Structure formats: C-alpha cells, structure tokens
Amino acid sequence: MSDKWFVNLKKWLRQPANAARLAVMAVVLAALTVCTVWLHRPVEGEVASSASQMVYERAVVTAVLSDDAFPDYDNAEGRRVGTQELEIQIQTGAHKNEVMSLTNYMSALFNVDLKKGDSIIVRIMTDEDGAYYASLFNYNRGRVLGVFVLLFFVLLAVLGGKKGLGALLGLLFTLGCIWLILIPCLIRGIPAVLVTVGIIAVTAAGALIFLNGFSEKTLCSVLGCVIGVVAAGGIAAAVGAATPMNGFNMSEAENLLLYGADKGLKISGLLVCGVLISALGAVMDVALGIASAVWEIHEQNPALTARQLFRSGMHIGQDAMGTMANTLILAFAGSSLNMLILVQTYEIPFLQLINTDYICIEVIQSIAGAMGILLTVPIVAFISARLMAALLDDAELEYELVTKKLN
C-alpha cells in the first residue's frame, strides 16, 4: 500500500500544475511561519504583564478539615454557601507534592463546592519576605474539556471520513492563523482591517483546500468567501461611521486602552475586524455550498450556459439565505441571552435600548454578517457560472481543434 501511495504521489508531482501548487503552498506556509516567529520574538525593554507572572498549579483535595456550608434556597437556588477549610496537595510546579491548607469561601456566584479527592486549580501567592500560600481559583476543568474536544475531533474524523480530516486540518489552520498571527498583529498596531482581510483570505483558501483540494470549485468558493466577508465588513464600517460606532464603544475598550495601547494597539478598527471574523464561518459555508451545487449541475449537464447555471445557483442559494442569516442572528441571541433577560427584567425603554452601545454593536455585527451571506450567494453563483461556462467553451474549442486535425 505504501509503495502504491508513493508511486501515485510521484505521478501527481510530475504534473507541472500540481508541482507549482505544492510550491506555492510551501512558500505560503514558510511565510506564515516566519511571520509567526517574528511576531512572537522577545522585544527589548518590554515588561511582562502582571497576569503572566501569576503562578497557577494543579492540586488535589486531600481532606476537608471543616465545612459550615448550607443550602441557600432564598438567594442561591439551593447551592451551598459558607466556608470550607481544606487540606490540599500541589501536583505541579516548584511546590509539587507539598501539602498546604486553604480556606474556600462559597457564595451564590463563586461556588466551588469541594470534597476529598476533587482536582482543583490554585494560585500560589508569594509575599515579599518569601513566604507563600495557596488560594483557590476554580475546579480543574482541563481534563474534561480536553476529552470533550478530542471527542469532537474523533466524531469529525470518523463520520466525515476524508472530508472530516480535511475539515479538521482547516479548522486547526484557521485557529492557528487567528491566534498566532492576527491577534499579535492587532496588538502591535498593524492596520487592523487590512491584516484581518489578509488573514481571512489565507485561512479561507487554506481551509477550503484542505477540504476539497485544488479545483475550480475551491477557487470559486475562496473568491466568493473573501468578497462576501469584505462586503460584510464594509457594511459594518459604513453603518458604524453613520451611527457613529467603533471599537471604543465596546465593553472591553477600557482594558484594551490600559494594557494594549503601550504596545501599539489601535482600537478604532476592532469593530469591523470582529464582523469580518464572525461572518467568515457562515459565509464560507454558503460559498462552498453554492459553488458545489453549480459544479454538480455543470457535471450533470455540461451544455448549460452561464446564465442558466447562474439562475440555478441563485435558486439553490435562496434556500440557504434564510437559514444562514438565522444562524448569525440566533448566535447573537444565544450569546446575549442573559443581557436580553436583564432588558426585560429591568423593563428598559425601547428608545434607551436601541441606543445602548452594547445592543448597537451586536445589531451591527449580526445584520452586517447576515448581509454578507446574502451578497455571497449571487457573487459565488456568478463566479461559478462564468468559470464553468468558460471551461465548457475551452473543452468545445479543444474538441474542434482535435477534430480538424483528424480530418
């Protein structure tokens, strides 16, 4: 099997187009790697943040020394509130295997109710004189979350097969580009919208190539995805300028100013960047769906003209418009559910509600993303139809030339 795979690989590489594609991919990956290393290089004179100097370790509860907590049905819906005195053993770090004691204060909001054998995360506090002690941070959820993510990966690979593995690689590639390249670029003050559009183009191309390989369908999907996302960002920028709204209206703006401005962070463009990133997934889904549909129609009936292919793509896309638009709107409703409940609980007047920064930002992001999806459908349908028709014209021309030579 390995010899056959190697032989097929050599045949694939011998084709000039495939060799060129592989060379382009290698150059792009090398450029991304160099960019990542450059962005994460040590900066002379840069002071480490206080958060990065905090020490968190895993620990296990070895004994509950005392427990005066009781169920509070009046204010905590039956959750136990009170105080626990615990004995713990540190499992990681410089104080590994040391036994310490700590006090666990449980309230309705901060409620880490522990028993012997529970795994927890503690913060090691060190005083100026060198004395240290542990304070409770939270449950140790890392193992459960790791298993949960691994289960998702396994299901994606098993149920999706080769496509699922491609989707997994595309997802990891996208997350890597956002975390390792985009965010450091934004922190360093590189123009936010330009770098976000560039990362979106690279991640969309990479994710779709991992999923479908090099093909005309992939090309149509990438072009439509980038244009649709940029359209969503442009709409958000225009509405934000008219409102006016920008990154300074976001709830995190104060912290970003305090801790990011000295590194070069520019806040004003972050609103548009958020729209671009949040719209990427849904727009990519629609773009690939329309391109695949037009491609399949062309395969079943190669004689269809560009106009006919475009009309078919639009008919298919109209079914996806509503569901994909609902996806973004419902995502906003789900992530902001507590806020929406508070709005009704406090009976906030409508005029105040629609002019609140938080609500305006969420509406702009959701509607701009939905409009990006709507615009993606005709864009991808047009590009796919023209490209499929052009391929048909080239095939007919080649057939005519071969026929003339034979005659």
Side-chain angles (χ1 to χ4, degrees), residues 258-302:
L258 289 175
Y259 301 107
D262 58 337
K263 296 182 179 181
L265 177 64
K266 306 297 182 184
I267 298 177
S268 56
L270 295 184
L271 175 62
V272 176
C273 294
V275 173
L276 294 173
I277 296 172
S278 62
L280 177 59
V283 170
M284 191 184 301
D285 189 9
V286 171
L288 181 58
I290 300 302
S292 298
V294 174
W295 174 268
E296 186 64 26
I297 293 171
H298 169 73
E299 287 289 305
Q300 296 299 322
N301 189 357

Side-chain angles (χ1 to χ4, degrees), residues 310-377:
F310 174 75
R311 187 181 300 113
S312 297
M314 285 298 297
H315 288 163
I316 296 169
Q318 287 169 354
D319 292 332
M321 287 181 180
T323 55
M324 285 296 102
N326 281 341
T327 299
L328 291 180
I329 303 301
L330 292 177
F332 153 68
S335 63
S336 306
L337 182 61
N338 292 345
M339 175 62 69
L340 297 178
I341 293 174
L342 284 175
V343 166
Q344 288 208 18
T345 301
Y346 287 120
E347 298 181 349
I348 297 176
F350 180 74
L351 191 61
Q352 176 189 356
L353 178 65
I354 62 173
N355 289 286
T356 302
D357 286 349
Y358 176 81
I359 296 297
C360 288
I361 289 174
E362 293 295 335
V363 170
I364 290 174
Q365 289 181 332
S366 301
I367 300 301
M371 292 181 70
I373 292 174
L374 299 180
L375 294 174
T376 299
V377 171

Side-chain angles (χ1 to χ4, degrees), residues 59-60 62 88-92 94-100 132:
V60 62
T62 55
I88 64 169
Q89 183 179 39
I90 307 299
Q91 295 183 310
T92 59
H95 303 287
K96 183 177 181 180
N97 295 328
E98 290 189 23
V99 176
M100 302 182 183
Y132 57 87

Side-chain angles (χ1 to χ4, degrees), residues 26 30 41 44 50 53 78 83 85 88 100 122 141 158 187 195 204 248 256 272 277 292 294 334 336 355 372 386:
R41 75 192 189 283
E44 185 178 354
S50 58
Q53 300 178 40
T83 305
E85 296 294 334
I88 64 169
M100 302 182 183
V122 297
R141 301 186 175 108
V158 172
I187 292 175
V195 71
F248 286 95
L256 291 174
V272 176
I277 296 172
S292 298
V294 174
S336 306
N355 289 286
R386 296 296 299 176

